[in-house]
Amino acid sequence: LAFERDGDAVHARMDGVIRAKVQGAEKNRLAAQQLASESRTRIQVLLGLGTLLGGCLAWVAARSIRRPSLQLRDAVEHIAAGKIDVVVPHQNFNNEVGAMARAVQVLQDVARDMEGQNWQKGHLAHISSTLQAASSHQELARIFFSELAPVAGVGHGVLYVYREESQDLHFLGAYALRERKALEQRFALGRSEEHTSELQ
C-alpha cells in the first residue's frame, strides 16, 4: 500500500511536471506566434515604405531624364522647322543626353552653314539674272550696285571696266559718292587712283 501511495505521488508529480511543461510550451508557442505576427507586420510596413520610396526615386529619376530629353526634342523640332538659331540645351551633361545634345549642336552648325550657302547662292543667282537684263555698261553698274549694296553692306563704291584695246580702265558708275564729277573717267593700269578722298 505504501508502494502504491508512493507511485501515485510520483505519478501526480509527473503529471504536474508534464502540465507545467505543456503550459510552458503553450506560452512559448503563443509568444512565438505573437512575435511572428509582429515581425510580419513590420516586414509588410517596411516593404510598403520601401516600395513607396523606390517609386518616388524612380519617378524622380525618370523626371530627371525625361525633362532634359523633352527640352532637347523641342530644340531638334525647332531646328527641323528652320529656326536654326535656337539654343541647344544640356551640352554640358556627361551622359547620353549630353552626347545627343552635342550631336544636335553639330547638326545645327551644318544646317547654319548650309543656310548661309543657300542664301549666297540664291542672291548670286538673282544678281546674275538681273545683270543679264542690262542693256548698257552704265545700266550694268547701276543694277550691280543697287543689287549688291544692300546685300553686302556696301557703303559706297566705284565700278570701272577694263578695255583691252586701250589697256586702261573706264568709269562705269558709282554708288553713294558725294563728289562724283571729280572721279577720273579713265586711267591706265598700274597707276593708283588719286581721288580716294572722294570715296569718304
Side-chain angles (χ1 to χ4, degrees):
L1 230 85
F3 178 73
E4 287 180 7
R5 278 197 307 265
D6 289 339
D8 287 340
V10 169
H11 187 56
R13 283 184 186 164
M14 289 292 286
D15 283 343
V17 169
I18 290 171
R19 275 195 301 273
K21 292 277 187 188
V22 168
Q23 288 173 354
E26 185 64 19
K27 283 181 185 176
N28 287 339
R29 185 185 67 79
L30 290 173
Q33 280 182 339
Q34 180 69 24
L35 183 63
S37 176
E38 290 173 0
S39 297
R40 192 179 314 117
T41 303
R42 284 192 195 109
I43 289 170
Q44 287 173 346
V45 169
L46 288 173
L47 283 173
L49 288 174
T51 303
L52 183 63
L53 182 62
C56 289
L57 289 174
W59 179 80
V60 169
R63 184 173 170 79
S64 70
I65 293 170
R66 189 169 187 270
R67 191 170 177 193
S69 297
L70 289 175
Q71 291 171 339
L72 187 58
R73 186 193 70 187
D74 288 345
V76 170
E77 287 175 354
H78 280 95
I79 293 169
K83 300 174 185 174
I84 59 172
D85 291 328
V86 68
V87 176
V88 179
H90 312 304
Q91 295 182 53
N92 58 341
F93 283 20
N94 291 325
N95 56 16
E96 291 81 8
V97 173
M100 285 191 294
R102 289 186 289 276
V104 170
Q105 177 66 51
V106 170
L107 292 175
Q108 183 184 36
D109 292 340
V110 170
R112 193 176 284 125
D113 289 343
M114 287 177 61
E115 185 183 55
Q117 290 175 8
N118 290 339
W119 182 86
Q120 289 175 355
K121 288 176 183 175
H123 278 82
L124 285 174
H126 173 72
I127 291 171
S128 176
S129 65
T130 307
L131 288 176
Q132 289 175 6
S135 58
S136 67
H137 285 114
Q138 287 73 22
E139 188 180 0
L140 179 76
R142 183 189 59 75
I143 293 172
F144 176 77
F145 280 123
S146 66
E147 292 291 333
L148 184 66
V151 174
V154 173
H156 45 257
V158 179
L159 187 63
Y160 285 87
V161 64
Y162 174 70
R163 295 218 172 134
E164 195 169 345
E165 64 276 3
S166 57
Q167 294 190 347
D168 58 2
L169 297 172
H170 287 255
F171 175 79
L172 284 185
Y175 177 75
L177 294 179
R178 292 188 208 147
E179 300 292 333
R180 230 172 127 165
K181 293 179 182 177
L183 289 173
E184 289 192 33
Q185 294 300 306
R186 52 183 285 190
F187 62 92
L189 290 178
R191 187 171 70 92
S192 63
E193 175 61 70
E194 296 171 0
H195 299 287
T196 56
S197 62
E198 277 116 32
L199 296 177
Q200 299 172 6

